[in-house]
Amino acid sequence: MKMPRPVDAPRPSLRDARPILVRVGSALAVALGFLWITSRVDPGQSRASAPETPPALDSAHAATPAASMGVLEGRQLLVNLVATPEGPRYTVLDRAGAMLAERLTREELYQSFPDLRMDTIISGPLMLAPFDR
């Protein structure tokens, strides 16, 4: 059962609803403006690019580009990590790109380059990603 309104109570008017209507109208205008702007802007497509690698890395491992796990750059040497069925292999180049050693195991790397300690250089897991050229 609905209670009758007291006689001395003020009647609701449009003035009471005006602030709410202004807020709702403003929010609607902002939303419609955003939708209109996003319909006009086309970000386009871009391709990610890999950093430049020395030419020796590209030609030395052209047969298995998908197996490359990355290049570690030091002050004097570059070390390319390659995944093989037998485990990781390391190719060492100088800063000019001349190949010093190719597809070494970890033990061979330690014997040939005692200053390179792969267990202290690598931090975290490495991921294999498809190579697209």
Side-chain angles (χ1 to χ4, degrees):
M1 178 158 128
K2 189 174 178 183
M3 299 288 291
R5 187 173 59 84
V7 177
D8 58 346
R11 291 185 157 271
S13 69
L14 188 58
R15 283 186 195 173
D16 298 332
R18 184 174 291 173
I20 294 171
L21 291 175
V22 168
R23 288 182 189 145
V24 169
S26 298
L28 184 61
V30 167
L32 288 175
F34 175 76
L35 291 174
W36 182 79
I37 288 173
T38 56
S39 71
R40 300 289 181 226
V41 175
D42 182 21
Q45 299 251 341
S46 64
R47 288 188 60 118
S49 60
E52 291 185 28
T53 56
L57 285 180
D58 292 336
S59 62
H61 300 293
T64 59
S68 178
M69 294 192 299
V71 178
L72 298 173
E73 295 186 31
R75 289 189 201 128
Q76 293 114 9
L77 299 175
L78 299 172
V79 180
N80 183 24
L81 286 85
V82 179
T84 65
E86 298 84 29
R89 297 294 183 255
Y90 306 94
T91 300
V92 183
L93 301 105
D94 64 6
R95 292 301 288 178
M99 190 173 307
L100 303 176
E102 184 176 12
R103 298 200 181 226
L104 300 175
T105 63
R106 182 177 289 196
E107 292 76 23
E108 294 169 342
L109 181 70
Y110 292 158
Q111 291 170 357
S112 302
F113 302 94
D115 295 339
L116 288 177
R117 297 296 301 178
M118 298 312 288
D119 54 349
T120 60
I121 293 175
I122 299 172
S123 63
L126 293 175
M127 295 176 20
L128 292 176
F131 186 81
D132 59 336
R133 206 172 260 263

